[in-house]
Amino acid sequence: MNPQAVDWNGDGLQDIIVGDRNGFVTFFRRTGSGVDDLTSEGHVSAYGTAIDVGNNAAPVVVDWNNDGLLDLLIGNESSSQDIRLYLNSGTPSSPYFTAWAYVQTFSSMSSQRYRCCPRVFDLNGDGKKDLLAGTCRYIYYNENIGTDDNPIFDGYEALQDINGDPLKTAWFGTSFWVDDWDENGSLDLVTGIDVGEVILYRANSVGVAEETTPQVQTGFTVTPAINPVRHNFNINVQVTRHRNAELRVYDSAGRLVATRNVTDLPEGTNLVTIDAGSLAIGVYTVVATNGSDISICRMVLAD
C-alpha cells in the first residue's frame, strides 16, 4: 500500500518504496532508466530487523526533520496503533533506522485509525508540512502548529466537500494524493475508492479553512516559464513593486534540494533560473516567499 517513487539511495534514479498486506516495507531499487529496471532489495529494516507494523503497512517517505535524510512514516491496519515515525540516522546513500515513535495520537479517533494511509503535504500554504490520514470512509487533516522541521499537531478535521459533507472515500482504507491538478495554484485531491473509481476533488480558493492563507497571493506569483524542463528550472516571478524573494525547491519526498535568493526584483515579470543539473528526473515543488506572501508552482524535470 502507498507505493512511492523516490530516490531512496541517492544515486539519481527513482526507486519504489511500498508497504504490503503483511506489515512489511520493501525497497525496489532502480538499476536503469527503463520502467522495468527494478530489483527488490528486500524489506526495510530498523536495528537490523525488518520493520513490521502488523498488517497493511502504508509507508510515506519524507524528510521529516529537514536534516537532508529521508525518513519513514508508516500507517497500519490496527485501530489501536497510530502512525509510526522512523527517523533516518544514516546517510543519503544508505538510510539507517533504529527506534521509532508515534507521530500522532488521534485520542478519540481510535475507531477511525483502521487501515490508516498517511500523507504529508503543506495543505494550507504556510510553509510547514501538515499530516493527512486516509482511513475507513474519511480523510483527516492535522494542521502543523509547530515548525517545518519539528511538526506538532493539535486537533484534526475530516476533509469535506463544498457542501460540508465528508469526501467520498473507501471503506477499507483510503489511498489518495494531493497535487495542483489544474495548475491554478491550489492543491487538489485525487482519491481512489473501493468500487474501482478514481475521484478528483478540485480545491476552492479558500483552501481547507477560510482563515488559511491562499497559496497564491495577488501581486506576488511564481509560474513555470517552461514546463517540463531540462537542466534548469526557469521560473517567472511576478511582483508589483521592487522586492526580494526566496525560492526553495523540494523533491517529491519533501526534501529541500535547491534554493535561490533574488534581491530587488523590478516591478513586473522576472525570469529566475535555478540550476537543476544534479537533480533526478521527477516532479518538484517551488515555494517562493517574501515576508508573509507565499506562491507555489510545480516543475517537471525531464531526461
Side-chain angles (χ1 to χ4, degrees):
M1 299 176 65
N2 266 28
Q4 186 171 349
V6 63
D7 183 8
W8 182 250
N9 57 354
D11 62 357
L13 300 174
Q14 292 288 292
D15 310 302
I16 301 292
I17 298 294
V18 63
D20 64 29
R21 168 64 181 160
N22 296 319
F24 299 104
V25 177
T26 301
F27 164 38
F28 290 91
R29 180 171 60 89
R30 189 170 296 280
T31 59
S33 58
V35 295
D36 297 325
D37 294 333
L38 287 167
T39 181
S40 175
E41 297 294 323
H43 299 320
V44 178
S45 298
Y47 271 134
T49 301
I51 292 173
D52 182 1
V53 298
N55 288 300
N56 281 3
V60 176
V61 180
V62 61
D63 184 1
W64 186 253
N65 54 1
N66 294 353
D67 64 354
L69 301 175
L70 296 179
D71 308 307
L72 274 176
L73 299 181
I74 309 178
N76 58 80
E77 180 172 321
S78 175
S79 61
S80 63
Q81 292 192 48
D82 294 304
I83 299 169
R84 293 189 184 188
L85 169 63
Y86 291 82
L87 291 177
N88 185 355
S89 58
T91 66
S93 61
S94 182
Y96 183 76
F97 301 97
T98 54
W100 58 270
Y102 288 129
V103 70
Q104 173 72 18
T105 299
F106 287 88
S107 62
S108 61
M109 286 175 58
S110 60
S111 63
Q112 303 297 336
R113 291 184 299 215
Y114 185 58
R115 293 194 174 181
C116 176
C117 297
R119 293 290 189 188
V120 177
F121 297 96
D122 177 13
L123 198 62
N124 59 358
D126 64 356
K128 300 181 294 186
K129 56 178 73 74
D130 303 310
L131 176 66
L132 291 94
T135 67
C136 286
R137 299 302 296 159
Y138 301 104
I139 299 175
Y140 289 100
Y141 164 63
N142 301 266
E143 182 182 0
N144 181 2
I145 61 172
T147 62
D148 190 51
D149 58 0
N150 185 28
I152 299 173
F153 305 101
D154 181 20
Y156 59 88
E157 60 180 304
L159 294 186
Q160 300 175 348
D161 62 23
I162 197 170
N163 297 316
D165 299 320
L167 299 184
K168 183 180 180 182
T169 59
W171 279 106
F172 299 108
T174 301
S175 183
F176 63 97
W177 190 254
V178 178
D179 199 1
D180 185 3
W181 183 269
D182 49 11
E183 298 184 355
N184 68 347
S186 296
L187 291 177
D188 308 303
L189 179 70
V190 180
T191 178
I193 61 175
D194 46 15
V195 294
E197 296 178 351
V198 176
I199 297 178
L200 167 65
Y201 292 96
R202 296 175 59 187
N204 59 31
S205 60
V206 297
V208 173
E210 292 182 0
E211 67 271 18
T212 58
T213 302
Q215 291 186 359
V216 177
Q217 300 201 358
T218 303
F220 179 69
T221 60
V222 290
T223 56
I226 303 172
N227 211 13
V229 297
R230 292 177 175 82
H231 310 302
N232 294 313
F233 294 126
N234 296 302
I235 303 163
N236 288 326
V237 181
Q238 183 174 339
V239 297
T240 56
R241 61 183 184 276
H242 280 64
R243 63 197 306 176
N244 305 328
E246 180 187 41
L247 282 73
R248 292 168 288 160
V249 181
Y250 296 88
D251 64 14
S252 60
R255 182 171 48 186
L256 181 65
V257 295
T259 60
R260 175 75 189 276
N261 289 298
V262 287
T263 59
D264 200 25
L265 291 170
E267 180 180 349
T269 300
N270 302 268
L271 180 64
V272 176
T273 299
I274 300 177
D275 182 14
S278 62
L279 301 180
I281 61 173
V283 179
Y284 293 83
T285 301
V286 180
V287 179
T289 58
N290 174 263
S292 60
D293 289 342
I294 300 174
S295 183
I296 297 174
C297 68
R298 302 295 193 279
M299 304 288 295
V300 178
L301 184 62
D303 192 1

